[in-house]
Amino acid sequence: MGCGQTPSNDQHEHHQCKVIQGKDIPLLTPFKLGGFQLKHRVVLAPLTRCRSYGHVPQPHAAIYYSQRATQGGLLIAEATAVSPSGLGYPHSPGIWSEEQVEAWKPIVQAVHDKGAVFFLQIWHVGRVSHTSYQPNGQAPVSSTNRKAPGQLMLPEGTPMADYSPPRALETHEIAGVVEDFRLAARNAMRAGFDGVELHGAHGYLIDQFFKDSTNDRTDEYGGSVENRCRFALELVEAVSKEVGADRVGIRLSPFSDYVGAVDSNPLQLGLYMAEELNRFNILYAHFVEPRMRVGAAIAPEAAGIWPLRKAFKGTMLVAGGYGRDDGNEAITSGKTDLVVYGRHFLANPDLPKRFELNSALNVYDRQTFYTPDPVVGYTDYSFLEVKVAA
């Protein structure tokens, strides 16, 4: 329990301001995640880094991920396309081909050699794409034919362009996308991953089906919240049957408004999904906080996560601009089981150690988040130098 938090009365004197010992820090306490014994609760977020040339994972990714791997830590690999039509970012990885499966294997091994647990986030961008990414230059597919607002980087990463108008999937085509996810999950296990996380957040294909601003369908996949969640639940069922529910997680952001995907009743959407997921007994649900950020400041949090926590019976992960103190508080309060860190973990490969010592953090460089350099802004962030007395 960290300094500044309120301990229980019988622990007050023992815990007051003692933050050096790992056992006193909620984020650094062990947790049983299904069949995986975690030694701490600091999780690496799935972060798109745009360094998989030709959409094939590269050897430098083994350095990047193993730098952030610790004994009993959980890492979630970057969003990885389930099919060629699922692409929308330059140099983002895939998991549909044999070449990609083989390329992932040494990366996974490097993480396992450090004693960490490694999940792969599987992904389809839907309408958040451009014809230049798509097979034969076809229109991106989506829940809708409404174009996403904004612009994206083209495949070579320099020019920017408007998102291409999408084509709404025909009802009979949806089963094929479910199959793509199932095969991607199978391939992830063949590559050695411990499990998969379905990317159901941030305005991508699954989220396009969820949100009533991006789902104007009149078939069984549109209209009511039950229908809008049907696609995601079919994916959960198919992937769970393929690899086992105890190796499946899902990321959800019902409160977000990324690339125009916003819902008029996000709490209802989140609660419905949380309750339905209980039927499948999946390993975890990973929710993105409703709080929004302006620059570096975090706005006051809405109440949204707490009802979802109460509704979902499994392990809960939360993400959304957490630091050390509010991460500890999220664990202590019972709001979540694990806390997911993105930018801070990107810039601090030894983030759990820095939290243990309450050390200063490296500042992340936003300019290199999505650049293709295999070292700069990727594997060159410094580790803490801990001086040991002679």
Side-chain angles (χ1 to χ4, degrees), residues 281-297:
N281 200 29
I282 61 171
L283 185 63
Y284 69 78
H286 175 184
F287 283 98
V288 179
E289 286 276 12
R291 59 190 180 180
M292 299 299 289
R293 196 185 333 265
V294 179

Side-chain angles (χ1 to χ4, degrees), residues 199-212:
H199 194 346
H202 294 168
Y204 299 115
L205 183 62
I206 299 172
D207 205 29
Q208 290 158 33
F209 274 84
F210 281 146
K211 304 290 178 64
D212 55 15

Side-chain angles (χ1 to χ4, degrees), residues 201-237:
H202 294 168
Y204 299 115
L205 183 62
I206 299 172
D207 205 29
Q208 290 158 33
F209 274 84
F210 281 146
K211 304 290 178 64
D212 55 15
S213 70
T214 47
N215 186 334
D216 53 357
R217 305 180 70 89
T218 57
D219 62 4
E220 60 264 41
Y221 293 93
S224 66
V225 67
E226 294 84 0
N227 282 355
R228 286 183 280 118
C229 292
R230 188 183 307 278
F231 174 54
L233 294 171
E234 287 179 354
L235 290 171
V236 169
E237 181 175 28

Side-chain angles (χ1 to χ4, degrees), residues 156-223:
E156 292 311 308
T158 40
M160 301 288 287
D162 290 347
Y163 293 109
S164 295
R167 176 181 69 80
L169 284 161
E170 299 288 344
T171 305
H172 68 85
E173 294 178 297
I174 292 174
V177 181
V178 174
E179 179 69 0
D180 288 339
F181 274 86
R182 185 187 70 80
L183 292 174
R186 174 189 285 184
N187 284 344
M189 303 309 291
R190 289 176 55 227
F193 283 98
D194 297 296
V196 295
E197 176 180 284
L198 293 164
H199 194 346
H202 294 168
Y204 299 115
L205 183 62
I206 299 172
D207 205 29
Q208 290 158 33
F209 274 84
F210 281 146
K211 304 290 178 64
D212 55 15
S213 70
T214 47
N215 186 334
D216 53 357
R217 305 180 70 89
T218 57
D219 62 4
E220 60 264 41
Y221 293 93

Side-chain angles (χ1 to χ4, degrees), residues 189-386:
M189 303 309 291
R190 289 176 55 227
F193 283 98
D194 297 296
V196 295
E197 176 180 284
L198 293 164
H199 194 346
H202 294 168
Y204 299 115
L205 183 62
I206 299 172
D207 205 29
Q208 290 158 33
F209 274 84
F210 281 146
K211 304 290 178 64
D212 55 15
S213 70
T214 47
N215 186 334
D216 53 357
R217 305 180 70 89
T218 57
D219 62 4
E220 60 264 41
Y221 293 93
S224 66
V225 67
E226 294 84 0
N227 282 355
R228 286 183 280 118
C229 292
R230 188 183 307 278
F231 174 54
L233 294 171
E234 287 179 354
L235 290 171
V236 169
E237 181 175 28
V239 169
S240 295
K241 284 181 177 176
E242 179 62 41
V243 305
D246 57 347
R247 294 182 180 274
V248 175
I250 187 170
R251 193 179 214 200
L252 301 168
S253 63
F255 303 95
S256 74
D257 58 358
Y258 290 96
V259 281
V262 61
D263 197 76
S264 61
N265 194 340
L267 183 56
Q268 179 195 41
L269 172 62
L271 282 172
Y272 180 80
M273 275 301 295
E275 290 161 357
E276 285 296 299
L277 287 172
N278 290 330
R279 295 195 288 116
F280 297 96
N281 200 29
I282 61 171
L283 185 63
Y284 69 78
H286 175 184
F287 283 98
V288 179
E289 286 276 12
R291 59 190 180 180
M292 299 299 289
R293 196 185 333 265
V294 179
I298 299 174
E301 177 192 338
I305 290 292
W306 275 106
L308 304 182
R309 170 62 157 170
K310 291 169 183 172
F312 182 65
K313 305 305 182 191
T315 294
M316 183 92 153
L317 282 63
V318 297
Y322 277 94
R324 181 183 188 270
D325 291 345
D326 58 353
N328 280 326
E329 176 58 31
I331 300 295
T332 304
S333 68
K335 177 183 189 179
T336 190
D337 298 303
L338 307 172
V339 182
V340 182
Y341 290 88
R343 287 167 288 186
H344 286 320
F345 220 149
L346 178 158
N348 297 273
D350 53 355
L351 188 64
K353 175 59 71 175
R354 289 176 188 257
F355 282 170
E356 179 185 351
L357 300 176
N358 203 16
S359 300
L361 301 182
N362 296 329
V363 178
Y364 53 81
D365 179 7
R366 192 180 295 275
Q367 299 302 313
T368 58
F369 282 179
Y370 308 114
T371 50
D373 194 290
V375 175
V376 177
Y378 191 57
T379 59
D380 63 345
Y381 282 104
S382 63
F383 286 77
L384 195 64
E385 292 184 13
V386 180

